[in-house]
Amino acid sequence: MTVHALYLCEGSSDTGLRDHIEAIGAEMGREILVTVPDLDRLPNRPGHSVRGKLRAAQQVSDEGQVYDLVVIHRDSDGNPPERRRGEIAEAVDEVSPGLAHVPVVPVRMLEAWLLLDQAAIREVAGNPNGKAALNLPKPARAESVADPKTLLKEAIAAASEEKGRRLEKLQKRFPENRARLLQMLDREGPIQQLASWQAFTHDLRESLSGL
Protein backbone atom coordinates (compact mmCIF):
# COMPACT_ATOMS: atom_id res chain seq x y z
CA MET A 1 0.00 0.00 0.00
CA THR A 2 1.25 3.43 -0.92
CA VAL A 3 1.21 5.78 2.05
CA HIS A 4 -0.05 9.28 1.29
CA ALA A 5 1.58 11.73 3.67
CA LEU A 6 1.12 15.43 4.23
CA TYR A 7 4.20 17.39 5.31
CA LEU A 8 3.69 20.74 7.01
CA CYS A 9 6.98 22.60 7.42
CA GLU A 10 7.90 25.94 8.94
CA GLY A 11 9.31 27.48 5.77
CA SER A 12 10.01 26.82 2.11
CA SER A 13 13.66 25.96 2.80
CA ASP A 14 12.48 23.06 5.01
CA THR A 15 10.84 21.15 2.16
CA GLY A 16 13.97 19.02 1.66
CA LEU A 17 12.96 16.86 4.60
CA ARG A 18 10.42 15.30 2.23
CA ASP A 19 13.24 13.39 0.53
CA HIS A 20 14.34 11.91 3.85
CA ILE A 21 10.79 10.94 4.81
CA GLU A 22 10.40 9.08 1.53
CA ALA A 23 13.85 7.49 1.85
CA ILE A 24 13.19 6.24 5.39
CA GLY A 25 9.95 4.73 4.12
CA ALA A 26 11.81 3.03 1.27
CA GLU A 27 14.28 1.56 3.78
CA MET A 28 11.27 -0.06 5.46
CA GLY A 29 9.91 -1.31 2.16
CA ARG A 30 7.11 1.25 2.18
CA GLU A 31 6.34 3.67 -0.63
CA ILE A 32 5.45 7.14 0.67
CA LEU A 33 4.12 9.92 -1.49
CA VAL A 34 4.69 13.16 0.41
CA THR A 35 2.70 16.28 -0.40
CA VAL A 36 4.06 19.65 0.70
CA PRO A 37 1.28 22.22 0.18
CA ASP A 38 2.24 25.79 -0.72
CA LEU A 39 0.34 27.58 2.02
CA ASP A 40 1.96 30.91 1.17
CA ARG A 41 -0.26 31.22 -1.90
CA LEU A 42 -3.36 31.48 0.26
CA PRO A 43 -4.82 34.99 0.76
CA ASN A 44 -4.59 34.53 4.52
CA ARG A 45 -1.36 32.78 5.46
CA PRO A 46 -1.71 30.51 8.49
CA GLY A 47 1.49 31.60 10.26
CA HIS A 48 3.14 29.20 12.71
CA SER A 49 -0.06 27.84 14.26
CA VAL A 50 -0.28 24.08 13.72
CA ARG A 51 -4.06 24.27 13.78
CA GLY A 52 -4.00 27.03 11.21
CA LYS A 53 -1.65 25.07 8.94
CA LEU A 54 -3.79 21.94 9.16
CA ARG A 55 -6.93 23.88 8.25
CA ALA A 56 -5.12 25.69 5.45
CA ALA A 57 -3.79 22.41 4.08
CA GLN A 58 -7.37 21.15 3.86
CA GLN A 59 -8.18 24.15 1.66
CA VAL A 60 -5.38 23.57 -0.83
CA SER A 61 -5.45 19.76 -0.90
CA ASP A 62 -6.60 18.13 -4.10
CA GLU A 63 -10.30 17.38 -4.03
CA GLY A 64 -10.91 13.96 -2.55
CA GLN A 65 -7.31 13.48 -1.37
CA VAL A 66 -7.17 11.44 1.81
CA TYR A 67 -3.93 11.35 3.80
CA ASP A 68 -2.76 8.41 5.89
CA LEU A 69 -0.19 10.42 7.81
CA VAL A 70 0.79 14.00 8.55
CA VAL A 71 4.37 15.02 9.39
CA ILE A 72 4.55 18.36 11.19
CA HIS A 73 7.74 20.37 11.67
CA ARG A 74 7.76 22.82 14.55
CA ASP A 75 11.01 24.19 15.97
CA SER A 76 11.12 24.14 19.75
CA ASP A 77 12.58 27.69 19.81
CA GLY A 78 13.75 27.24 23.39
CA ASN A 79 10.57 25.52 24.57
CA PRO A 80 10.76 21.98 25.95
CA PRO A 81 10.39 19.59 22.98
CA GLU A 82 7.65 17.67 24.79
CA ARG A 83 5.60 20.86 24.95
CA ARG A 84 5.81 21.26 21.18
CA ARG A 85 4.97 17.59 20.69
CA GLY A 86 1.92 18.03 22.90
CA GLU A 87 0.81 21.10 20.96
CA ILE A 88 1.07 19.16 17.70
CA ALA A 89 -0.90 16.20 19.08
CA GLU A 90 -3.66 18.48 20.39
CA ALA A 91 -3.92 20.32 17.08
CA VAL A 92 -4.18 17.11 15.06
CA ASP A 93 -6.81 15.71 17.43
CA GLU A 94 -8.86 18.88 17.03
CA VAL A 95 -8.57 19.47 13.28
CA SER A 96 -7.94 15.97 11.87
CA PRO A 97 -9.01 13.49 14.56
CA GLY A 98 -7.77 9.97 13.98
CA LEU A 99 -5.04 10.98 11.53
CA ALA A 100 -1.65 9.45 12.34
CA HIS A 101 0.94 12.14 12.92
CA VAL A 102 4.70 12.46 13.28
CA PRO A 103 6.16 15.52 15.04
CA VAL A 104 9.48 16.95 13.86
CA VAL A 105 10.82 19.07 16.72
CA PRO A 106 14.46 20.14 16.40
CA VAL A 107 15.83 21.62 19.61
CA ARG A 108 15.73 25.41 19.10
CA MET A 109 15.63 25.21 15.28
CA LEU A 110 16.34 22.93 12.36
CA GLU A 111 19.65 24.65 11.58
CA ALA A 112 21.15 22.65 14.47
CA TRP A 113 20.80 19.58 12.25
CA LEU A 114 22.88 21.23 9.51
CA LEU A 115 25.94 22.11 11.62
CA LEU A 116 27.47 18.63 11.59
CA ASP A 117 28.78 18.19 8.05
CA GLN A 118 31.77 20.38 7.27
CA ALA A 119 32.16 18.95 3.76
CA ALA A 120 28.56 19.82 2.85
CA ILE A 121 28.91 23.35 4.24
CA ARG A 122 32.09 23.91 2.22
CA GLU A 123 30.34 22.60 -0.89
CA VAL A 124 27.32 24.89 -0.66
CA ALA A 125 29.71 27.75 0.07
CA GLY A 126 31.34 27.09 -3.29
CA ASN A 127 34.75 26.23 -1.83
CA PRO A 128 34.82 22.44 -1.31
CA ASN A 129 38.59 22.30 -0.88
CA GLY A 130 38.78 25.19 1.58
CA LYS A 131 40.65 24.85 4.86
CA ALA A 132 39.28 27.79 6.85
CA ALA A 133 38.21 26.96 10.41
CA LEU A 134 34.42 26.78 10.70
CA ASN A 135 34.13 26.53 14.50
CA LEU A 136 31.32 24.01 14.34
CA PRO A 137 30.09 22.24 17.49
CA LYS A 138 30.58 18.59 18.25
CA PRO A 139 27.38 16.53 17.76
CA ALA A 140 26.90 16.35 21.53
CA ARG A 141 26.68 20.16 21.68
CA ALA A 142 24.87 20.95 18.42
CA GLU A 143 21.44 21.15 20.06
CA SER A 144 22.78 23.37 22.84
CA VAL A 145 23.87 26.17 20.48
CA ALA A 146 21.91 29.29 21.40
CA ASP A 147 21.49 30.55 17.81
CA PRO A 148 22.20 27.78 15.28
CA LYS A 149 20.92 29.85 12.35
CA THR A 150 23.50 32.59 12.94
CA LEU A 151 26.24 30.02 13.48
CA LEU A 152 25.33 28.27 10.21
CA LYS A 153 25.41 31.58 8.32
CA GLU A 154 28.81 32.36 9.80
CA ALA A 155 30.11 28.88 8.95
CA ILE A 156 29.03 29.17 5.30
CA ALA A 157 30.63 32.61 5.07
CA ALA A 158 33.87 31.36 6.62
CA ALA A 159 33.91 28.29 4.38
CA SER A 160 33.56 30.43 1.26
CA GLU A 161 36.61 32.56 2.16
CA GLU A 162 34.92 35.34 0.16
CA LYS A 163 34.95 39.03 0.97
CA GLY A 164 33.16 42.17 -0.09
CA ARG A 165 30.37 41.95 -2.66
CA ARG A 166 30.93 38.28 -3.40
CA LEU A 167 30.37 37.52 0.27
CA GLU A 168 27.24 39.70 0.30
CA LYS A 169 25.82 37.77 -2.65
CA LEU A 170 26.57 34.49 -0.92
CA GLN A 171 24.85 35.61 2.27
CA LYS A 172 21.73 36.60 0.31
CA ARG A 173 21.53 33.01 -0.92
CA PHE A 174 21.34 31.62 2.61
CA PRO A 175 17.78 30.24 2.27
CA GLU A 176 18.76 28.36 -0.90
CA ASN A 177 21.99 27.08 0.65
CA ARG A 178 20.14 26.03 3.79
CA ALA A 179 17.68 24.08 1.63
CA ARG A 180 20.56 22.36 -0.17
CA LEU A 181 22.16 21.38 3.12
CA LEU A 182 18.92 19.78 4.26
CA GLN A 183 18.68 17.81 1.03
CA MET A 184 22.32 16.72 1.42
CA LEU A 185 21.83 15.64 5.03
CA ASP A 186 23.59 12.33 5.70
CA ARG A 187 21.06 10.17 7.53
CA GLU A 188 23.82 7.73 8.43
CA GLY A 189 26.16 10.41 9.73
CA PRO A 190 26.57 12.36 12.98
CA ILE A 191 22.93 13.47 12.96
CA GLN A 192 22.06 10.05 14.34
CA GLN A 193 23.52 11.26 17.64
CA LEU A 194 20.96 14.07 18.00
CA ALA A 195 17.99 13.33 20.27
CA SER A 196 15.53 15.26 18.11
CA TRP A 197 16.52 13.35 14.97
CA GLN A 198 16.29 10.07 16.85
CA ALA A 199 12.78 10.99 18.04
CA PHE A 200 11.65 11.99 14.55
CA THR A 201 12.91 8.85 12.83
CA HIS A 202 11.61 6.59 15.61
CA ASP A 203 8.14 8.17 15.45
CA LEU A 204 8.09 7.98 11.64
CA ARG A 205 9.01 4.29 11.63
CA GLU A 206 6.49 3.53 14.37
CA SER A 207 3.71 5.31 12.46
CA LEU A 208 4.57 3.55 9.20
CA SER A 209 4.60 0.18 10.98
CA GLY A 210 1.07 0.87 12.22
CA LEU A 211 -0.38 1.72 8.79
Side-chain angles (χ1 to χ4, degrees), residues 91-200:
V92 173
D93 286 344
E94 179 180 319
V95 180
S96 301
L99 179 62
H101 75 278
V102 174
V104 183
V105 187
V107 174
R108 297 194 183 277
M109 55 189 71
L110 190 141
E111 281 81 1
W113 288 4
L114 309 179
L115 294 171
L116 306 179
D117 191 336
Q118 286 201 34
I121 290 173
R122 293 186 195 279
E123 182 172 334
V124 301
N127 189 20
N129 298 318
K131 301 297 182 184
L134 305 187
N135 299 315
L136 297 174
K138 299 289 186 183
R141 289 197 61 254
E143 295 192 297
S144 300
V145 173
D147 188 350
K149 178 180 287 187
T150 295
L151 182 56
L152 183 61
K153 286 181 178 178
E154 292 173 348
I156 294 173
S160 73
E161 300 183 41
E162 298 284 9
K163 299 183 185 302
R165 289 189 175 183
R166 292 175 67 89
L167 178 57
E168 289 179 10
K169 288 182 179 179
L170 174 67
Q171 290 174 325
K172 288 178 180 178
R173 295 198 302 272
F174 178 73
E176 292 85 353
N177 287 330
R178 179 188 182 282
R180 283 186 62 200
L181 285 171
L182 182 55
Q183 290 176 326
M184 295 166 66
L185 189 67
D186 180 7
R187 295 188 304 281
E188 303 301 320
I191 195 168
Q192 290 193 344
Q193 300 179 46
L194 302 191
S196 60
W197 176 263
Q198 294 170 7
F200 156 58

